[in-house]
Amino acid sequence: MSILTEVVDGSLVVTLNRPEARNALNGEVGQSLADALARAEGDDGVRSVVLTGAGDRTFCAGLDLKALSRGENLAPVMQALDGLRDFRKPLLAAVNGSCLGGGFEIMMHCDLVVAAAGTNFGLPEVRRGLLAAGGGTRLPLRLPIARALELALTGDPIPAEQALDWGLVNRVVPRDDLLPATLELAGRVNANAPLALQATKRLLRGELGDDAAAAKTALASIADLMASEDAQEGGRAFAEKRPPVWKGR
């Protein structure tokens, strides 16, 4: 199965389950994630959702560039990211490994983030001719603009400890403590009134800025980029493990 789900003390734990592909996002994962979020929204027994990845190497490597290079339909990935953006209940991330690209964007949609020590975070899309359209719009809402631009324009990753210092994550814990620490934090959230939690999240997220408008612009841009020669070259270069040759078209 591309994702695993389990309810633990009122939290739906959703595990991206493609460790052989570094939990990369393809159409199947996107659809399964979107379906799980929809079920959680309608289940009063689920008070929050915890997202994590299988294995200890990668939380999520982001968009499956090999699937992109094969021309597979990746629209469900964007649908899942839309579902995360609009999700009303508290979302927590238990970042078990590298959190890059689409994985970083998933993390950005989460309200609270706990990371395993030694993990790293980054937005390498520009290195593949793409744009962080699924959640990158939230970056300057979470970081000073200079740091947001440094992450987005260089594509360089930063360690979890630096992400904690910058305010991107809430906790950094030993790897063996990751899920227990995240569930403990979720339990503290779950103890509160559900409607009050949803209203508080809606208010605070809304006060950050017009995320819907930014997302609309980003989605229009990524559609153009994904049709470009450079995006195809980025996917091929990744699959062939060589530097890309950009043409600017």
Side-chain angles (χ1 to χ4, degrees):
M1 297 178 66
S2 60
I3 70 167
L4 303 174
T5 59
E6 179 186 11
V7 177
V8 181
D9 297 329
S11 295
L12 177 67
V13 179
V14 178
T15 303
L16 303 176
N17 190 38
R18 295 185 71 211
E20 75 288 349
R22 298 186 300 159
N23 299 320
L25 302 172
N26 62 7
E28 182 183 356
V29 173
Q31 189 62 61
S32 297
L33 179 56
D35 291 345
L37 291 170
R39 290 194 299 269
E41 280 275 29
D43 187 346
D44 291 340
V46 173
R47 307 292 291 275
S48 63
V49 169
V50 173
L51 297 175
T52 192
D56 57 8
R57 182 183 176 193
T58 308
F59 171 66
C60 178
L63 191 67
D64 188 333
L65 295 179
K66 292 182 180 179
L68 175 64
S69 69
R70 291 192 296 266
E72 292 183 16
N73 178 20
L74 299 179
V77 174
M78 302 311 295
Q79 294 170 6
L81 292 173
D82 283 343
L84 288 169
R85 180 184 295 108
D86 298 333
F87 195 70
R88 294 176 298 164
K89 297 179 181 181
L91 278 167
L92 296 88
V95 180
N96 57 297
S98 296
C99 183
L100 303 171
F104 187 103
E105 295 176 66
I106 287 176
M107 179 274 296
M108 289 291 290
H109 288 299
C110 293
D111 306 303
L112 300 171
V113 182
V114 181
T119 59
N120 55 49
F121 295 77
L123 287 171
E125 277 87 345
V126 290
R127 297 182 175 185
R128 309 297 177 214
L130 297 172
L131 167 72
T137 55
R138 293 190 172 192
L139 191 58
L141 306 177
R142 299 271 289 264
L143 289 175
I145 190 63
R147 285 181 169 169
L149 286 169
E150 180 179 348
L151 272 179
L153 295 181
T154 65
D156 293 340
I158 61 173
E161 292 74 16
Q162 188 173 348
L164 177 65
D165 183 58
W166 283 13
L168 273 176
V169 306
N170 297 86
R171 309 272 193 281
V172 176
V173 301
R175 185 174 300 279
D176 290 345
D177 296 339
L178 177 63
L179 194 54
T182 308
L183 288 171
E184 187 276 332
L185 185 58
R188 290 162 55 195
V189 171
N190 295 347
N192 297 312
L195 294 180
L197 287 172
Q198 292 177 35
T200 298
K201 174 175 175 173
R202 186 167 60 248
L203 173 66
L204 296 184
R205 286 289 194 185
E207 287 298 313
L208 285 174
D210 191 348
D211 190 51
K216 183 177 180 180
T217 300
L219 290 174
S221 298
I222 192 62
D224 289 340
L225 284 174
M226 289 180 73
S228 71
E229 290 184 33
D230 275 355
Q232 300 303 313
E233 166 63 8
R236 285 192 298 270
F238 176 80
E240 296 168 8
K241 298 182 180 180
R242 60 172 174 79
V245 179
W246 305 123
K247 297 181 179 178
R249 60 177 187 266

